[in-house]
Amino acid sequence: MPNTIEDHFALLPNSNGSHSVIPKPRLFHYTTLAGYLGIVSQKAIWATNIHYLNDSEEFSYGLRYLTEELAAASTHADHAGKSVLLRAIELVDLYRQGFVYTASFAEDDDLLSQWRGYSGGGGICLGFVASDLQEIAAKAEFRLIRCIYEQSQKALLAQEFVANWLDAIRAKTTLSDDDVEQLAHELVTRYQQLACAFKDPSFREENEWRLVSKFVPLDHPSVKVRCTATMLVPYFEVSLDLGLDNEGRSNIGIDSIVVGPSLQRERILQAATIAVREFSEISLSLSEIPYRSL
């Protein structure tokens, strides 16, 4: 089988952003003013439980691709393979409520559709150096994955994933009941990470990337809960602390900030500059999109 999955996981961002003077690959995280202060003061970004996102249905659809491929492959698998695949099908519903955490990034640092999400109240776009973001992901045992929009690609990846697992199962001489259980659990939890990158084709313009966790147990020390107006939302606190730079300033992977359209954006820019004065050099600028466009 081709290594389509590994090829996708190996993709690297190549966007620079329109506001950055020094060309280097970056990804961009849009947030509210309160979110901005939280990120820079805590040196952390919050990855939200996948089931609490607006597009969580896409994750469920991704698991459906897996269930279909498991059922199809089980019809021609040997006894050991069939045992694992059928047990995995039973586990999909259990892990459908499982805890995987994700944070979103875009390739564009001045995207109207993103600014509109802040209703003109003021938003901020944080530019992360791609190599730093990969280091941040690795330290937290997350993975940086480009989102997948094409339905045909989603089906192909699910098919390849199951085929690769069948190959791995065939390589084992004997399987105990405990082995079957362990392999089935590993199959489903590893696929979850891939399914978190599935997005509806209508959102293709966003060119989204995601930091995605492995399966995270409820009692993990980095899992906390925040409050919205109508919901309690579990999140995973991902540290951005990369130590000190050559000049002794704190590095959190951010080297550019764009203040979104708002009536008070010049004042927001001034205050945003104060909030990051302790960090490695960060360029700050104003969105080129006029406020009336929102």
Side-chain angles (χ1 to χ4, degrees), residues 36-162:
Y36 166 69
L37 289 180
I39 289 169
V40 298
S41 64
Q42 298 175 22
K43 300 181 184 178
I45 194 168
W46 292 357
T48 301
N49 183 299
I50 188 69
H51 297 292
Y52 291 76
L53 297 177
N54 293 333
D55 58 359
S56 61
E57 276 301 305
E58 286 302 304
F59 176 71
S60 296
Y61 291 146
L63 294 179
R64 190 177 305 166
Y65 282 114
L66 176 62
T67 302
E68 292 171 356
E69 288 301 327
L70 290 171
S74 68
T75 62
H76 57 76
D78 60 21
H79 176 71
K82 186 172 184 177
S83 298
V84 174
L85 299 186
L86 292 179
R87 179 54 180 150
I89 291 174
E90 295 175 348
L91 291 174
V92 167
D93 282 338
L94 171 65
Y95 281 110
R96 195 181 301 275
Q97 301 303 319
F99 285 74
V100 183
Y101 295 82
T102 179
S104 297
F105 298 82
E107 294 184 356
D108 193 319
D109 60 356
D110 205 355
L111 196 60
L112 178 58
S113 60
Q114 290 286 340
W115 295 131
R116 280 178 171 160
Y118 300 101
S119 304
I124 287 184
C125 175
L126 304 174
F128 284 83
V129 178
S131 57
D132 286 346
L133 195 55
Q134 287 178 300
E135 183 178 347
I136 288 164
K139 285 184 175 181
E141 296 187 321
F142 276 55
R143 201 163 200 164
L144 183 61
I145 308 174
R146 185 178 184 181
C147 286
I148 302 160
Y149 297 93
E150 298 302 330
Q151 306 292 29
S152 58
Q153 186 181 8
K154 297 171 189 175
L156 177 64
L157 291 173
Q159 182 181 34
E160 181 188 323
F161 184 89
V162 173

Side-chain angles (χ1 to χ4, degrees), residues 202-276:
S202 62
F203 295 103
R204 190 182 292 107
E205 177 204 21
E206 295 178 356
N207 292 316
E208 184 178 342
W209 292 66
R210 285 181 168 177
L211 282 184
V212 182
S213 74
K214 298 178 181 178
F215 181 83
V216 178
L218 278 172
D219 59 354
H220 193 288
S222 292
V223 172
K224 302 177 182 179
V225 178
R226 61 184 174 87
C227 180
T228 68
T230 58
M231 180 62 69
L232 295 176
V233 180
Y235 68 91
F236 188 107
E237 192 171 73
V238 180
S239 174
L240 302 178
D241 192 354
L242 295 174
L244 303 179
D245 64 16
N246 294 332
E247 298 180 8
R249 293 177 298 184
S250 183
N251 177 18
I252 56 172
I254 297 170
D255 79 339
S256 67
I257 292 173
V258 179
V259 174
S262 79
L263 291 174
Q264 301 291 336
R265 59 183 187 171
E266 286 83 5
R267 290 186 178 179
I268 293 172
L269 177 65
Q270 185 180 56
T273 304
I274 297 171
V276 293

Side-chain angles (χ1 to χ4, degrees), residues 16-31:
N16 295 317
S18 59
H19 287 261
S20 302
V21 177
I22 301 174
K24 64 174 70 172
R26 295 178 180 85
L27 287 174
F28 304 95
H29 179 73
Y30 289 79
T31 186

Side-chain angles (χ1 to χ4, degrees), residues 79 83-84 87 174-184:
H79 176 71
S83 298
V84 174
R87 179 54 180 150
T174 58
L175 290 179
S176 66
D177 290 345
D178 287 343
D179 292 331
V180 169
E181 189 72 9
Q182 180 179 350
L183 286 168

